[in-house]
Amino acid sequence: MVALDKSEVREGVDRETIETVKAMSGTYKYGWNTEIETEYAPKGVNEDIVRLISEKNGEPEWMTDWRLKAFRRWEQMEEPKWAMLNYPKIDYQDQYYYAKPKSMAEKPKSLDDVDPALLATYEKLGIPLKEQMILAGVEGAAETPAEGRRVAVDAVFDSVSVGTTFKEELKKAGVIFMSISEAIREHPELVKKYLGSVVPQSDNFFATLNSAVFSDGSFVYIPPGVRCPMELSTYFRINAENTGQFERTLIIADKGSYVSYLEGCTAPKRDVAQLHAAVVEIVILEDAEVKYSTVQNWFPGDAEGKGGIYNFVTKRADCREARAKVMWTQVETGSAITWKYPSCLLRGDDSQGEFYSIAIANNMQQADTGTKMTHLGKNTRSRIVSKGISAGKAQNTYRGLVSVHPKATGARNYTQCDSLLIGDKCGAHTVPYIEVKNNSSRVEHEATTSKVDDDQLFYCRSRGMDEEEAVALVVNGFCKEVLQALPMEFAMEAQSLVAISLEGSVG
Amino acid sequence: MLEIKNLHVKLEEEDKVILKGVNLTVETGKVHAIMGPNGSGKSTLSYVLSGRDGYEVTDGSAVMDGEELLEMEPEERAAAGLFLAFQYPVEIPGVGNMTFLRTAVNAQRKARGEEEMSAGEFLKFVREKAKALKIDAEMLKRPVNVGFSGGEKKRNEILQMAVLEPKMCILDETDSGLDVDAMKLVADGVNALRSEGRSFLVITHYQRLLDHIVPDVVHIMADGRIVKTGGPELALEVEKNGYADLLAEVM
């Protein structure tokens, strides 16, 4: 809540965003579904579907082959079972792997030609009108700069990137920010060089499936020495029913560059579970720095555990050269199932990885999330701050690996894992793995588990707050260190989300 | 202002009766003190009035300005103007004092249908209140009661009282755990908040607090009832002779 105080006195904060966040009320706010005509590929996945996705994206042959190689590998793999997650078996042949809003087939000339349902979607998401035009692909809309908010947005609707804002301005700075399907066509040399270099095709079951069938996602390249002039943001939304979303994000920060990247996710309420298996790869070269922040608010399923998103995500940053730096910040409030471990490969000497996480699980949600810090270079440093909150009948697991290799002399890690329980039917679990293979490194681990105390709630209530406000206040206090790591606008949204996702968790 | 009639209370979890028919009327603008030995039910009375869980009211009523308190949620009682200064103020890690206060003030305003205060407005308002109570503004930035000394915690309660502007204040053993200097500071704060429209119920074990916060009426509580009522001289009597003599006389 401290961030909230600051933001209201800070100048230049986008009022629209604040208002949108404030207006949030009720249960899952983003639970509407847009009536848009959608073009589907047939259900199921096989080599033909993989070829079709590649063809729909107008990809060159090398890309099609890359996908097929992944697909053949995937067919030999088995779904991992080690996580503390319990869900019905997923029938991978009962999903659509490609869905595209029909109106995207031809570029609209003006807003009048845009499918009004698509526009209404953006409006509900709180995206300003100017950016709605650009996202809807209105010709010429991108040339006149929008006022106020300085965040470039790439929106991915079901499987397809529907538009990227601020393209021209970014181009002037030399920054490439576009959908990955465009990048495959326009910058094949970069994509060829880096795609799969952090998360190899064969990495794990879900990443391999993603490599075969990813339909779109975002691509970022920051040239040497450039500080990206604005925050970049990708907005993911799953709309179509029975559709899996498999987006792929590739970020390359060249020597001495900096970028802050935001990712937001929502999906409509459906009583059938939906699959989401994304891959994010970040390559960070010498002296470069990347901040990657996520506010994940996929539909968590209803109170009985019906529906919701199954979120199996592979995110990894490779600090490939000396003094490279990455910071992951995540706020995970949604999804029925979360399987996610944003990781750092600290290869360059003196490189640094940080992971700040808030994972909230309420009702029947299950979260198994954490990070991997792999220390390979000398004097590499990592820091993990994880805050897990469980309410209702939810299960929340922190799973982390800190691995220090023989050559990583002088490496240091600090891990802090705090769990907060609300009620007596939920669970919190901490599973830290630590492997240290040299004797000049230092690894520290601290863990706590606490309950939201009745005395704290009564104290707040005796001062006039209702029970839900009281819980939100106490929980926001518990998460403070992580909320402070988020960019301002995200911190606002995250605070409200914390409150909303815990509604009905007491009393 | 506050009229307690025939209040009977037992513990929810076990069959133990704590209050056995309390009758008490606090007039508007007056300061009443309740004294009594340990286990007489003084703190229970303060918890029941503010709505804490764990107690069952088996009979009686507590009416504040025409409204039955016992039927209201704790937050509704607060919005109606009731304030309890805790004997043991609670720590809330990570939540700034300022944020806590603003959330409380705005929650009460909302409940009363008033407009909420903006961050800027509130900052100014709180700083003035803190200054009037000679409280360091630095205390506003710290997390609620975390790492506070005993005296700081109690002064923070008085600051909350000043900011929330209640009409009925209950002070539950506010002097416990304080040295003489700290107690005097807290008492000064309370005295600064005394006004025509505001009533106080000061619960204390010792007379010494009442040297600084001089009451209009003193009640002696024992075994779940008010057994004797008088002026400030009653407190002095307790101080001199202890509770035993007095209780032997009335029971």
Side-chain angles (χ1 to χ4, degrees), chain A residues 96-107:
Chain A
Y96 290 104
Y97 286 81
Y98 187 82
K100 178 180 184 172
K102 268 190 180 163
S103 62
M104 295 306 295
E106 279 173 45
K107 227 178 168 66

Side-chain angles (χ1 to χ4, degrees), chain A residues 76-190:
Chain A
Q76 314 297 319
M77 294 170 94
E78 277 187 33
E79 205 175 313
K81 292 274 175 260
W82 44 261
M84 209 180 284
L85 299 171
N86 203 339
Y87 54 94
K89 202 167 165 46
I90 300 169
D91 183 352
Y92 290 90
Q93 297 303 339
D94 194 36
Q95 302 273 338
Y96 290 104
Y97 286 81
Y98 187 82
K100 178 180 184 172
K102 268 190 180 163
S103 62
M104 295 306 295
E106 279 173 45
K107 227 178 168 66
K109 295 278 179 284
S110 76
L111 264 187
D112 299 338
D113 296 343
V114 178
D115 188 332
L118 191 62
L119 278 187
T121 301
Y122 295 136
E123 206 178 305
K124 282 187 203 161
L125 294 174
I127 297 172
L129 184 70
K130 179 69 202 175
E131 285 168 35
Q132 288 175 30
M133 286 171 67
I134 300 167
L135 290 175
V138 175
E139 278 186 359
E143 271 85 67
T144 39
E147 282 173 17
R149 191 170 149 126
R150 301 280 297 167
V151 179
V153 181
D154 182 35
V156 177
F157 199 81
D158 288 333
S159 300
V160 180
S161 168
V162 294
T164 312
T165 62
F166 284 108
K167 244 180 174 171
E168 285 306 308
E169 196 168 338
L170 289 168
K171 207 171 159 187
K172 272 181 218 153
V175 172
I176 304 170
F177 180 38
M178 54 176 57
S179 73
I180 195 144
S181 56
E182 283 175 280
I184 290 167
R185 296 191 297 266
E186 292 175 28
H187 300 281
E189 70 301 339
L190 286 171

Side-chain angles (χ1 to χ4, degrees), chain B residues 24 31-35 200-204 210 213 215-220:
Chain B
L24 178 68
V31 176
H32 284 227
I34 296 185
M35 299 182 71
F200 288 84
L201 189 58
V202 181
I203 294 171
T204 181
L210 304 181
I213 305 172
D216 297 299
V217 182
V218 175
H219 308 273
I220 307 296

Side-chain angles (χ1 to χ4, degrees), chain B residues 13-250:
Chain B
E13 302 275 297
E14 48 188 301
D15 220 13
K16 191 177 175 196
V17 182
I18 313 250
L19 299 184
K20 302 171 181 170
V22 174
N23 290 291
L24 178 68
T25 302
V26 182
E27 307 81 4
T28 304
K30 298 288 184 202
V31 176
H32 284 227
I34 296 185
M35 299 182 71
N38 290 328
S40 58
K42 305 187 299 280
S43 285
T44 297
L45 179 64
S46 71
Y47 288 143
V48 170
L49 290 175
S50 54
R52 191 190 184 108
D53 282 343
Y55 301 99
E56 192 187 325
V57 176
T58 51
D59 199 4
S61 68
V63 175
M64 183 174 78
D65 261 2
E67 288 183 280
E68 176 56 75
L69 284 177
L70 302 178
E71 283 166 9
M72 296 159 93
E73 295 293 334
E75 60 270 25
E76 293 169 341
R77 302 180 196 202
L82 183 75
F83 181 89
L84 170 65
F86 281 55
Q87 182 177 2
Y88 304 108
V90 181
E91 298 184 3
I92 310 180
V95 177
N97 230 346
M98 185 71 94
T99 303
F100 179 79
L101 283 169
R102 187 155 68 90
T103 309
V105 166
N106 281 337
Q108 290 200 13
R109 286 180 160 241
K110 213 166 106 191
R112 292 193 292 257
E114 298 163 13
E115 204 172 318
E116 294 183 27
M117 266 179 150
S118 75
E121 234 181 311
F122 186 75
L123 190 70
K124 206 169 150 243
F125 171 72
V126 169
R127 281 194 180 145
E128 276 167 18
K129 296 284 186 190
K131 204 175 160 200
L133 292 170
K134 301 195 184 72
I135 286 175
D136 192 347
E138 197 261 340
M139 193 155 137
L140 296 168
K141 295 180 193 154
R142 290 160 63 187
V144 181
N145 294 324
V146 178
F148 282 32
S149 70
E152 282 176 325
K153 281 186 183 175
K154 298 294 168 73
R155 295 187 74 197
N156 199 25
E157 295 290 288
I158 306 305
L159 174 66
Q160 291 180 17
M161 190 196 286
V163 168
L164 293 168
E165 302 177 328
K167 52 190 184 194
M168 180 72 230
C169 309
I170 304 170
L171 275 61
D172 185 13
E173 309 232 4
T174 293
D175 53 330
S176 72
L178 298 189
D179 60 32
V180 179
D181 293 331
M183 187 176 69
K184 193 166 177 312
L185 269 175
V186 170
D188 287 347
V190 173
N191 287 329
L193 295 173
R194 285 174 80 154
S195 75
E196 273 180 22
R198 184 171 292 151
S199 311
F200 288 84
L201 189 58
V202 181
I203 294 171
T204 181
H205 185 79
Y206 299 106
Q207 185 271 338
R208 57 176 196 172
L209 179 67
L210 304 181
D211 281 342
H212 303 287
I213 305 172
V214 180
D216 297 299
V217 182
V218 175
H219 308 273
I220 307 296
M221 192 164 181
D223 193 29
R225 288 186 199 91
I226 303 286
V227 293
K228 191 164 184 180
T229 296
E233 73 286 350
L234 190 54
L236 293 168
E237 196 184 314
V238 169
E239 174 77 0
K240 210 170 123 199
N241 304 327
Y243 286 110
D245 282 4
L246 195 135
L247 294 184
E249 172 197 328
V250 295

Side-chain angles (χ1 to χ4, degrees), chain A residues 26-28 303 360-364 390-394 422-425 457 466-472 497-507:
Chain A
T27 47
Y28 188 70
I360 298 180
N362 193 3
N363 296 321
M364 300 293 280
S390 322
K393 293 180 183 164
I422 303 173
D424 53 11
K425 293 187 180 66
L457 295 184
D466 66 32
E467 200 154 22
E468 279 171 356
E469 275 177 302
V471 171
L497 270 180
V498 166
I500 290 166
S501 43
L502 288 171
E503 262 173 22
S505 62
V506 284

